[in-house]
């Protein structure tokens, strides 16, 4: 086995260093016989060359695309964020308001029950002969002694 064949085996196993790869590429390209390695190395050499002005064109296109899309996207994000904040604040406000209303209703009911019990305990037992009932409702009775 020749030195070039040993280097190719080592190259295909991935055991070559950068210097060895450069040496192998130079040896293969200088070889007078046509081989698959010569085609592969020449293909990689052609493809590795970057056309002039490509970098500037790419960056100009990127700037153009990100400038438009970024501003529209940022506006959309800010509008959606503002709407979400308003929705959260409104939800919290309505929840606090409904809890406060329920608490007031509970307090009113407790007060009403306490007043009813006080009025029943303070009223003397009615005497049937002396009482004149003028009007009776579910909650109110008008009685004259």
């Amino acid at each position: 086995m020749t030195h070039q064949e040993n280097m190719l085996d080592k190259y295909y196993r991935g055991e070559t260093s950068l210097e060895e790869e450069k040496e192998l590429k130079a040896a293969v390209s200088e070889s007078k016989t046509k081989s698959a390695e010569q085609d592969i190395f020449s293909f990689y050499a052609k493809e590795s060359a970057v056309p002039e002005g490509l970098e500037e064109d790419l960056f100009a296109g990127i700037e153009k695309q990100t400038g438009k899309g970024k501003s529209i996207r940022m506006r959309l994000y800010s509008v959606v964020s503002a709407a979400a904040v308003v929705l959260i604040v409104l939800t919290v406000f309505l929840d606090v308001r409904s809890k406060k209303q329920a608490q007031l209703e509970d307090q009113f009911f407790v007060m009403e029950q306490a007043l009813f019990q006080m009025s029943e305990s303070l009223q003397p037992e009615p005497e049937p002969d002396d009482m004149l009932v003028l009007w009776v409702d579910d909650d109110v009775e008008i009685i004259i002694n």
Side-chain angles (χ1 to χ4, degrees):
M1 223 183 211
T2 66
H3 178 67
Q4 186 174 350
E5 290 174 349
N6 287 337
M7 291 293 287
L8 282 172
D9 287 339
K10 197 174 176 183
Y11 176 78
Y12 286 130
R13 285 186 304 229
E15 298 172 353
T16 56
S17 65
L18 290 177
E19 293 85 24
E20 291 173 332
E21 286 181 21
K22 288 178 184 177
E23 179 185 329
L24 179 63
K25 288 177 185 176
V28 167
S29 63
E30 291 173 0
S31 174
K32 300 206 187 289
T33 60
K34 188 76 169 165
S35 67
E37 289 81 14
Q38 201 174 28
D39 292 338
I40 291 172
F41 289 146
S42 66
F43 173 77
Y44 287 140
K46 288 178 189 174
E47 291 298 316
S48 66
V50 178
E52 292 216 15
L54 178 67
E55 186 176 347
E56 291 82 20
D57 292 342
L58 286 175
F59 283 124
I62 290 171
E63 289 291 325
K64 184 178 177 183
Q65 289 295 326
T66 58
K68 289 180 182 177
K70 193 173 188 179
S71 63
I72 292 171
R73 194 175 312 134
M74 289 303 290
R75 287 182 192 154
L76 180 64
Y77 286 159
S78 63
V79 168
V80 168
S81 299
V85 167
V86 168
L87 184 64
I88 289 170
V89 167
L90 185 63
T91 302
V92 169
F93 173 74
L94 292 176
D95 185 48
V96 167
R97 186 174 165 206
S98 67
K99 284 182 181 179
K100 192 173 188 178
Q101 183 70 24
Q103 184 182 18
L104 287 174
E105 288 175 0
D106 289 343
Q107 289 174 352
F108 180 76
F109 180 72
V110 168
M111 187 62 85
E112 186 180 35
Q113 292 294 325
L115 286 174
F116 178 73
Q117 288 175 356
M118 285 294 289
S119 68
E120 286 207 355
S121 67
L122 291 176
Q123 284 184 349
E125 288 293 321
E127 295 179 13
D129 297 341
D130 298 343
M131 306 280 266
L132 177 63
V133 177
L134 293 176
W135 186 64
V136 177
D137 194 87
D138 291 333
D139 295 331
V140 177
E141 293 180 9
I142 300 177
I143 301 172
I144 296 178
N145 284 343

